[in-house]
Amino acid sequence: MEDSTIRGRLAGFRRRLLVWSTGIVSVAVLIVPNAAFARSDDGAEAASPQQVPSGAYDYNGDGLADIVARRNSTGALEVWPGNGNSGFGTRYTVGFGWNAMNLIETAGDLNGDGLADLIAREASTGRLYFYPGNGSTFSPFQSIGRGWEVMSAIVSGHDYTADGNVDIIAVEAGTGTLWLYPGTGTGVTFAPRLNIGSSWNQLHELTAVGDTNEDGHPDVVAVRNVADCMYFYAGPGSEKFKPGVLFDCGWDVLEGAAAVGDFTGDGHLDWVGKDPDHNHLYLFHGDGTGSFFSSPVIDYGWNSMTIA
């Protein structure tokens, strides 16, 4: 990074990780858990852990991980195709009206059809919607349930119960409870939710990074509000995540952490973050051990974007 303070913080981030020992809608039509507590409109039951392939982030069908983001000034939803080597192909627009949503997240293959999907929450109603991917854009949305406005974070894209279906994880803002919603492979119905943690309202930037330490269980990372320090939480999530391992402090200078699958093409899962002070997008390379090191800037101008 250009600023010496930021550069020093990221250098410290790399050092600490190396010594660890002890993630076609033409319109965003308004796409619901109950206000009392987030729940799906239906329920079902959530067997051997497995890694989620980068195809869970392949939105244009070319076999490479992509980034989906909303352009905040226009509400346009765009796909930024990855080139398999930390860069982008030509972006394209898949819909408008997405400013109606106050949360947009990648969802992996939530309905089990082999294509990457998306979830989004409507700001005016708190309703959560499922947007099935069709290999280039998105098919018509479906409602998941009401009441998701009580959640401060909602992430998806990975199988935390090891039953072969992608799940949703959410933080209840008022209680700090971390909820796991076991998927059923339909994209819209879930098994009874599981309480898998407490005090998660003391963290932000919750990111479902996938199995970054390659032990067969998907993991998450999040930033603790006190001192803005980032921690790695190893799966399995269904048994509650393992105690957090400190990455580094100084994450007040970064925001918008988002999982992007294997964006570098090296076989390890990566993630991105924005530096709002410099309007930069950084890619963090996974090394397969649960550790990351920062890459050079991969693009500019991302302050105007909300990354799914």
Side-chain angles (χ1 to χ4, degrees):
M1 297 186 177
E2 293 176 355
D3 181 85
S4 60
T5 301
I6 301 173
R7 189 167 55 243
R9 284 169 173 165
L10 289 181
F13 175 83
R14 292 193 295 269
R15 288 194 299 272
R16 283 189 176 89
L17 286 176
L18 290 172
V19 296
W20 277 6
S21 58
T22 325
I24 210 167
V25 253
S26 58
V27 199
V29 263
L30 310 174
I31 324 194
V32 244
N34 205 323
F37 58 89
R39 61 186 176 88
S40 62
D41 290 332
D42 200 352
E45 172 84 0
S48 120
Q50 52 186 312
Q51 291 176 247
V52 176
S54 288
Y57 299 89
D58 175 18
Y59 287 90
N60 66 351
D62 66 355
L64 302 174
D66 309 315
I67 291 179
V68 176
R70 177 185 64 200
R71 189 168 297 277
N72 297 327
S73 61
T74 64
L77 190 70
E78 301 174 352
V79 172
W80 291 65
N83 64 9
N85 190 30
S86 306
F88 297 102
T90 304
R91 72 177 187 267
Y92 61 94
T93 299
V94 295
F96 296 93
W98 285 79
N99 279 340
M101 304 298 176
N102 62 5
L103 178 143
I104 306 170
E105 291 286 338
T106 55
D109 182 15
L110 195 57
N111 63 353
D113 65 355
L115 301 171
D117 307 315
L118 205 67
I119 56 174
R121 182 178 62 193
E122 185 180 14
S124 63
T125 65
R127 183 181 295 267
L128 190 67
Y129 290 94
F130 166 60
Y131 290 85
N134 61 21
S136 59
T137 58
F138 297 96
S139 299
F141 66 84
Q142 302 171 47
S143 172
I144 291 177
R146 297 181 180 275
W148 290 83
E149 72 275 4
V150 303
M151 302 298 180
S152 58
I154 305 170
V155 297
S156 186
H158 302 282
D159 174 16
Y160 288 93
T161 58
D163 65 352
N165 298 316
V166 172
D167 310 311
I168 288 178
I169 291 177
V171 178
E172 187 170 355
T175 65
T177 302
L178 186 67
W179 294 104
L180 171 62
Y181 294 82
T184 62
T186 65
V188 293
T189 60
F190 297 84
R193 66 182 184 173
L194 306 172
N195 181 334
I196 60 170
S198 59
S199 300
W200 282 76
N201 54 354
Q202 298 177 20
L203 299 96
H204 60 284
E205 298 288 357
L206 177 65
T207 306
V209 289
D211 182 14
T212 56
N213 63 355
E214 298 179 8
D215 65 351
H217 303 289
D219 315 307
V220 299
V221 297
V223 176
R224 294 186 182 176
N225 297 340
V226 176
D228 284 305
C229 294
M230 177 166 273
Y231 288 76
F232 168 82
Y233 296 87
S238 58
E239 300 174 10
K240 299 191 175 182
F241 291 100
K242 294 178 182 177
V245 177
L246 177 66
F247 276 17
D248 193 33
C249 293
W251 284 87
D252 52 317
V253 301
L254 293 175
E255 63 180 29
V260 294
D262 178 16
F263 204 72
T264 63
D266 66 354
H268 304 306
L269 298 178
D270 312 307
W271 57 281
V272 296
K274 298 191 300 181
D275 168 14
D277 289 340
H278 299 82
N279 206 9
H280 292 168
L281 181 68
Y282 283 84
L283 177 70
F284 295 84
H285 297 266
D287 65 3
T289 69
S291 299
F292 297 88
F293 60 92
S294 67
S295 77
V297 175
I298 61 170
D299 206 3
Y300 303 86
W302 284 77
N303 281 2
S304 63
M305 310 294 289
T306 295
I307 305 174

